[in-house]
Amino acid sequence: MRTDTSVGALPAREHLPAGEPGAPVPVLDVVIPVHNEEKDLEACVLRLREHLARTFPYAFRITVADNASTDRTPGIAARLGRVMPEVTSVRLEQKGRGRALRAVWERSDAPVLAYMDVDLSTDLKALLPLVAPLISGHSDLAIGSRLAGGSRVVRGPKREFISRTYNLILRSSLAARFSDAQCGFKAIRADVAERLLPMVEDTGWFFDTEMLVLAERAGLRIHEVPVDWVDDPDSTVHIVRTAVDDLKGVWRVGRALAVGALPLDRLARPFGDDPRDRSIDGVPGGLARQLVGFCVVGALSTLVYLVLYSVFRAGAGPQTANALALLVSAVANTAANRRLTFGVRGRERAVRHQAQGLVVFGIGLALTSGSLAALDAAAGAPSHGTELAVLITANLAATVLRFLLLRAWVFPDRRTDHPEREPKKAAR
């Protein structure tokens, strides 16, 4: 997995400055990746150019990315670029849709980058709704979806089954929430691409799926547009080979996410105009969201703790059962709070955080064990229900102290700990 991204979080999204048709720097760069498409290329480019000239209110560019074609495709692309100023072409000597998109997007000067398949299976009326949220600053990426409500799709049962099965695999294995990973109709803001693309390893058909999964895990906003889509019966995509490569990609990305091998925190964005992010006198930034996350994690870990205590209590004394249950739940609690409450991702300092969490666990153990000892001294042989009631009360007191220690000591505000990581403006 590549991890050579720029250091620092992304700035807040802003509305892109309005451009004029024909401006020297286009607002939108639409890439058409092709391999041996001499039959469809010219008609596709002409239709797309006519549509953009008629409906798109900003300057645009169409880039034909030729993936090592061996037919007349490179000559057609070059000729279209000579006769139409909005069209350009790039030649790559290796195949791979992901490789082509990366090559063009990394060199493009347009603030919004998009791509679509040469067969134009997706109705072009969805193009402006696709890129508008990126131009306005509302979203980071946008995808056309054939599975969203309102979409109208014409395709055979085989492709329908494969598409839905693939998206079900993504949802179950990678917890993906976007509805359609394979539709060849996507867009991304250039500032996001600059940080995100170095993390994407695939160079083939899995490229955009990997890009979407990483973006979603980093908390970026993905806008979905229902599309009208008609299957191309002459498509040259090798379904079985592509499916196998995609499954390999799912395994690779899932493993990297599971071990925290990707610095996704470098893609984090502030919420901008979200009222919850506005500063309030006397209230530290992010406190409300951290409290909500801590309470959710705390409720779940307390439930796990009580279940474990009841299990261990069947074969051990109350002090031993309490220590074992608290130790197991504390490790899980620290890991969950690290990721969900305080937004720390990756393996950096993970061992140190767990060690500090065990110190906090020791304080909680002292409170709960002391409460059990006091109960035993006062009541002699208390019932199991009484023990649980005392432990819940003691845990409530320990929880308040745990949150304060986690926030101030284990997971302090990284912006003040590492001033050198303040985001820098990317020069494009």
Side-chain angles (χ1 to χ4, degrees):
M1 280 282 182
R2 296 181 175 91
T3 58
D4 52 334
T5 61
S6 303
V7 175
L10 287 164
R13 287 183 299 266
E14 294 182 355
H15 195 300
L16 296 174
E20 296 293 334
V25 177
V27 171
L28 173 66
D29 193 346
V30 183
V31 182
I32 305 175
V34 293
H35 173 72
N36 290 344
E37 296 288 353
E38 62 181 10
K39 177 182 176 183
D40 297 326
L41 178 57
E42 183 167 1
C44 165
V45 172
L46 291 175
R47 180 180 165 195
L48 176 59
R49 176 182 176 273
E50 187 277 332
H51 176 83
L52 287 170
R54 180 168 47 86
T55 65
F56 193 67
Y58 303 109
F60 63 87
R61 178 191 300 131
I62 300 171
T63 302
V64 179
D66 174 40
N67 289 253
S69 294
T70 56
D71 62 0
R72 296 188 303 115
T73 297
I76 296 173
R79 177 171 54 82
L80 292 172
R82 288 194 298 269
V83 300
M84 290 182 283
E86 304 92 346
V87 178
T88 187
S89 63
V90 175
R91 167 75 176 180
L92 288 88
E93 298 303 328
Q94 292 178 288
K95 291 179 60 177
R97 181 176 69 175
R99 181 178 287 106
L101 292 178
R102 182 194 303 277
V104 176
W105 283 356
E106 288 182 340
R107 288 184 287 179
S108 179
D109 55 357
V112 176
L113 311 167
Y115 93 87
M116 61 181 59
D117 291 336
V118 69
D119 56 19
L120 294 185
S121 295
T122 304
D123 190 336
L124 291 177
K125 292 186 180 69
L127 182 54
L128 184 55
L130 182 81
V131 301
L134 308 187
I135 295 173
S136 70
H138 175 271
S139 300
D140 298 294
L141 299 92
I143 64 173
S145 175
R146 300 161 296 185
L147 303 178
S151 298
R152 295 185 298 176
V153 177
V154 178
R155 62 178 166 184
K158 180 180 179 180
R159 284 185 175 269
E160 181 75 10
F161 173 78
I162 292 173
S163 179
R164 291 188 178 275
T165 300
Y166 179 63
N167 284 285
L168 179 61
I169 291 173
L170 293 180
R171 287 175 177 269
S172 59
S173 61
L174 298 178
R177 297 189 299 274
F178 48 85
S179 64
D180 190 353
Q182 292 179 311
C183 183
F185 195 71
K186 296 181 175 71
I188 184 173
R189 285 178 63 107
D191 57 347
V192 176
E194 186 177 31
R195 303 285 184 87
L196 178 57
L197 293 186
M199 297 186 192
V200 180
E201 183 173 319
D202 192 80
T203 59
W205 291 96
F206 187 69
F207 171 86
D208 41 353
T209 299
E210 183 174 355
M211 180 179 68
L212 289 173
V213 170
L214 299 186
E216 187 174 74
R217 286 297 186 94
L220 299 180
R221 181 175 292 158
I222 301 174
H223 178 72
E224 295 199 14
V225 179
V227 297
D228 296 341
W229 192 86
V230 179
D231 188 20
D232 177 17
D234 298 325
S235 174
T236 59
V237 177
H238 193 291
I239 296 177
V240 175
R241 184 171 62 243
T242 300
V244 171
D245 291 342
D246 285 349
L247 291 176
K248 291 179 180 178
V250 169
W251 167 255
R252 173 176 53 78
V253 172
R255 183 177 56 185
L257 292 172
V259 301
L262 292 167
L264 297 180
D265 56 325
R266 297 176 183 177
L267 292 170
R269 273 200 191 276
F271 283 85
D273 292 331
D274 191 325
R276 295 169 296 179
D277 256 356
R278 295 173 185 166
S279 59
I280 302 174
D281 292 340
V283 178
L287 178 61
R289 284 195 300 279
Q290 289 180 355
L291 279 172
V292 171
F294 182 79
C295 288
V296 172
V297 171
L300 293 175
S301 60
T302 299
L303 180 61
V304 171
Y305 162 74
L306 293 175
V307 171
L308 291 174
Y309 176 81
S310 298
V311 172
F312 295 146
R313 185 66 177 87
Q319 295 289 0
T320 301
N322 174 60
L324 291 174
L326 196 58
L327 175 62
V328 175
S329 60
V331 172
N333 181 280
T334 300
N337 276 311
R338 182 178 189 270
R339 174 68 182 270
L340 302 177
T341 303
F342 298 99
V344 180
R345 295 178 172 85
R347 291 178 291 184
E348 183 181 359
R349 304 179 71 183
V351 175
R352 176 178 175 178
H353 290 156
Q354 280 294 349
Q356 291 172 305
L358 289 177
V359 174
V360 178
F361 148 77
I363 296 174
L365 178 62
L367 286 173
T368 54
S369 297
S371 299
L372 283 175
L375 175 65
D376 185 65
S383 66
H384 182 63
T386 303
E387 286 181 350
L388 291 180
V390 169
L391 287 174
I392 291 173
T393 303
N395 262 296
L396 289 176
T399 296
V400 176
L401 181 60
R402 186 183 306 123
F403 176 75
L404 295 175
L405 288 173
L406 288 177
R407 179 178 170 86
W409 180 48
V410 183
F411 306 111
D413 191 339
R414 286 169 292 163
R415 290 171 298 180
T416 58
D417 281 356
H418 304 283
E420 73 275 5
R421 290 190 179 183
E422 286 295 317
K424 299 178 182 179
K425 293 184 178 179
R428 294 198 56 79

